[in-house]
Amino acid sequence: MNPTKAVENRREQILREAARLFAERGFHGVGVDEIGAAVGISGPGLYRHFAGKDAMLAELLVGISGRLLAAGKMRVAETADPARALDALIRGHIDFAIDDRPLIILHDRELDRLRESDRKLVRQLQRQYVEEWVGVVRRVYPEATELEARAAVHAVFGLLNSTPHLGGQSGLPDRCGTATLLHRLALGALEALDSRADPRVTY
């Protein structure tokens, strides 16, 4: 194996286990030695890859924000059909929400632990990701205002990012069933922007 590739794979393995442990026990509840043990190397050996736990947390949260944005841009660029682009965005975010649940937990619990520059970068990447969605949503539902589209996108994110709360409950569908249900719910939420939707419910 290429030595550079081996190092990348080791870093990915360390980050995956760190995310799992941080999500399960909290950032301060996990030591470097425990992360090392989870990947089969000594705790001090981790310092060949990361400066410490803070660096791992930063790479996890900045990294996933960057990957979501890059993947979102790619999905939008791959089709000129707004409905297909929106469907691709939904499916991509569902994959993240199901497969990377520890990162959702980390974002909710530990974002404030990042140094200010990293926290600002995460927020910047997230805003750009939201705007990718908003642009597509407004093409699908042109009568929706920008504020309405943005509110709907944030609501869909809240729905999809609820997956960490679904674990351990009986009667839930398998991965495919969960993805199908989330997809249907997300589409239903966005369809409320359709001007032909039932106008009788007001607040």
Side-chain angles (χ1 to χ4, degrees):
M1 177 182 292
N2 184 303
T4 301
K5 189 66 175 177
V7 171
E8 290 175 354
N9 290 342
R10 176 62 84 179
R11 284 176 63 86
E12 291 171 3
Q13 184 183 18
I14 292 168
L15 287 171
R16 183 171 58 252
E17 290 303 315
R20 179 183 65 81
L21 290 169
F22 291 159
E24 289 177 356
R25 293 160 49 192
F27 181 75
H28 286 305
V30 179
V32 171
D33 288 341
E34 294 167 281
I35 298 172
V39 296
I41 62 178
S42 66
L46 288 180
Y47 292 108
R48 292 197 300 270
H49 301 278
F50 297 97
K53 290 198 306 177
D54 289 336
M56 294 180 206
L57 182 63
E59 185 155 338
L60 284 165
L61 294 181
V62 173
I64 189 56
S65 299
R67 289 195 299 276
L68 282 172
L69 174 59
K73 285 180 174 290
M74 182 184 67
R75 292 185 176 99
V76 172
E78 284 178 341
T79 177
D81 182 347
R84 290 181 62 186
L86 182 57
D87 187 73
L89 286 172
I90 291 171
R91 291 178 183 276
H93 199 95
I94 287 172
D95 286 341
F96 156 70
I98 292 177
D99 297 332
D100 291 305
R101 298 184 198 194
L103 294 179
I104 296 175
I105 295 172
L106 284 186
H107 180 274
D108 290 345
R109 292 181 184 171
E110 314 289 359
L111 180 63
D112 288 343
R113 300 193 187 281
L114 295 184
R115 61 184 181 180
E116 185 177 2
S117 59
D118 287 330
R119 191 165 59 250
K120 285 183 176 179
L121 179 55
V122 169
R123 294 298 192 196
Q124 178 185 1
L125 293 168
Q126 290 174 339
R127 284 194 297 270
Q128 292 176 34
Y129 182 55
V130 168
E131 293 312 307
E132 284 294 318
W133 279 67
V134 170
V136 173
V137 166
R138 294 198 72 197
R139 289 164 62 199
V140 177
Y141 301 103
E143 295 185 17
T145 68
E146 184 175 340
L147 289 177
E148 288 171 336
R150 189 170 290 108
V153 168
H154 280 292
V156 168
F157 286 173
L159 187 159
L160 298 180
N161 291 348
S162 67
T163 50
H165 305 293
L166 303 180
Q169 300 180 28
S170 60
L172 285 173
D174 58 14
R175 188 196 188 284
C176 181
T178 298
T180 300
L181 175 61
L182 290 173
H183 184 263
R184 190 163 64 245
L185 291 171
L187 285 176
L190 292 169
E191 284 170 2
L193 292 169
D194 193 328
S195 61
R196 295 166 295 179
D198 189 345
R200 290 174 295 177
V201 178
T202 57
Y203 292 93

